[in-house]
Structure formats: structure tokens, C-alpha cells
Amino acid sequence: MGLFFSIKQQARIAIKRILPESVIQSLRRTKRNLTQPSRRVDRDSLPPIAVEDLMADLTKAGIGPGDIIMAHSSLSRIGNVTGGAEAVVESLLKTVTDDGTVIMPCYNSADEAFRLSKKGDPLDLRTTKSAVGKITEVFRTWDGVIRSSHPFSSSCAWGQRAK
């Protein structure tokens, strides 16, 4: 048993030396997806959720006009949203109004940032997509949203205090 573990450890060390970290992470995600039971629910089987429903839920949670909120989001966890990510963003902005501010993380891949810098290519945060979900990507491209300048841990903001 000890010998098997030693060979397994040696193989892991060799693989880590050869493969880029992004490939290793992708393999880990694939393994996790194959070995863990799926927690996904077929969204189409759930009752549809409209912008007005989302706004009512946000209001019930204590969010209102003029508030400053930082939203971490998962479209699959919300359910069957009529209008998808656009409807979620719209509900957030309508709830806090122009007097409020909505902030979302819009991280991109650190591996990608390092890869570009090694090649001497600039990282253009105006066009680099968010890697943390559909809602954040829609928000990033929404009219009036600005993005902070961190190369891989940026945030986007909209509203009165966005700057």
C-alpha cells in the first residue's frame, strides 16, 4: 500500500510540473462533476420568475432605493428567471434606483492575465469577460457600468457611487 501511495504522489508531482495550472483545475472540475451527484435542477420545470417577483424578493430582504449593495449571484440557484441574467440585473437596478449603487465581482482568470503579461500583451478590462457567471457578464456590459482596474480581481459598479 505504501509503495502505491508513493508512486501516486510521484505521478502527481510530475503532472503538476508538466501541465499548466488551468488544465489541472479543469481536470479537477471534471472529476468532481463525474464523482458527485448533480445538484442541478431543470430550471424549465420550475415556475417562472419575473422581474417584478425578483424586485419583491429584494424588497422583502430589505433592499430599497438608495442602497449600496454588492451582489454575488448564481442564475442556476435563482431558478427559472423569465428573461435570464438580464432580468436579474434589471431587477437589482430598478430596486436600488439611480440613487443607489450595485457592485458585482467581475473576476477574470489570473492564469489568463499572467499568460498575456508573459507574451507582452495588455489585459484590456474593457473587453475581458467576467469569469464568475452569466449575471456578472451581463452586468459588466450594461450601460453605465464601470469596472475597476485590478487585472484579475476586478469589480463592476453601477449607480450614484459607482466611481
Side-chain angles (χ1 to χ4, degrees):
M1 189 80 166
L3 178 62
F4 176 75
F5 182 76
S6 176
I7 293 170
K8 189 175 179 182
Q9 281 300 101
Q10 289 176 7
R12 284 183 175 160
I13 291 167
I15 289 170
K16 284 183 177 180
R17 287 184 182 152
I18 297 169
L19 295 176
E21 183 63 24
S22 60
V23 172
I24 292 170
Q25 292 298 326
S26 178
L27 290 170
R28 284 182 182 147
R29 280 191 301 273
T30 301
K31 179 183 175 188
R32 201 169 37 243
N33 289 340
L34 292 173
T35 59
Q36 293 179 353
S38 177
R39 292 182 289 169
R40 290 192 176 253
V41 175
D42 182 16
R43 276 190 294 237
D44 293 338
S45 68
L46 299 172
I49 304 168
V51 170
E52 295 76 19
D53 300 324
L54 293 170
M55 291 176 64
D57 288 343
L58 291 167
T59 302
K60 193 184 302 180
I63 298 170
D67 284 348
I68 300 170
I69 63 168
M70 180 156 198
H72 294 262
S73 58
S74 171
L75 189 57
S76 64
R77 297 280 184 179
I78 296 172
N80 183 13
V81 179
T82 304
E86 291 82 2
V88 175
V89 172
E90 182 183 342
S91 69
L92 289 166
L93 304 185
K94 282 183 171 182
T95 301
V96 301
T97 70
D98 291 340
D99 294 331
T101 303
V102 176
I103 307 160
M104 287 191 192
C106 286
Y107 308 151
N108 52 297
S109 165
D111 291 336
E112 178 71 5
F114 289 128
R115 187 185 65 73
L116 287 170
S117 69
K118 282 182 184 177
K119 288 175 44 182
D121 293 339
L123 179 70
D124 188 351
L125 291 173
R126 294 170 297 184
T127 58
T128 303
K129 293 183 176 186
S130 170
V132 287
K134 178 70 173 170
I135 296 171
T136 61
E137 177 57 18
V138 167
F139 183 66
R140 181 189 72 81
T141 61
W142 202 271
D143 196 33
V145 170
I146 60 173
R147 189 174 191 173
S148 67
S149 61
H150 195 280
F152 49 84
S153 292
S154 64
S155 294
C156 289
W158 172 92
Q160 186 174 16
R161 301 190 59 127
K163 288 183 183 181

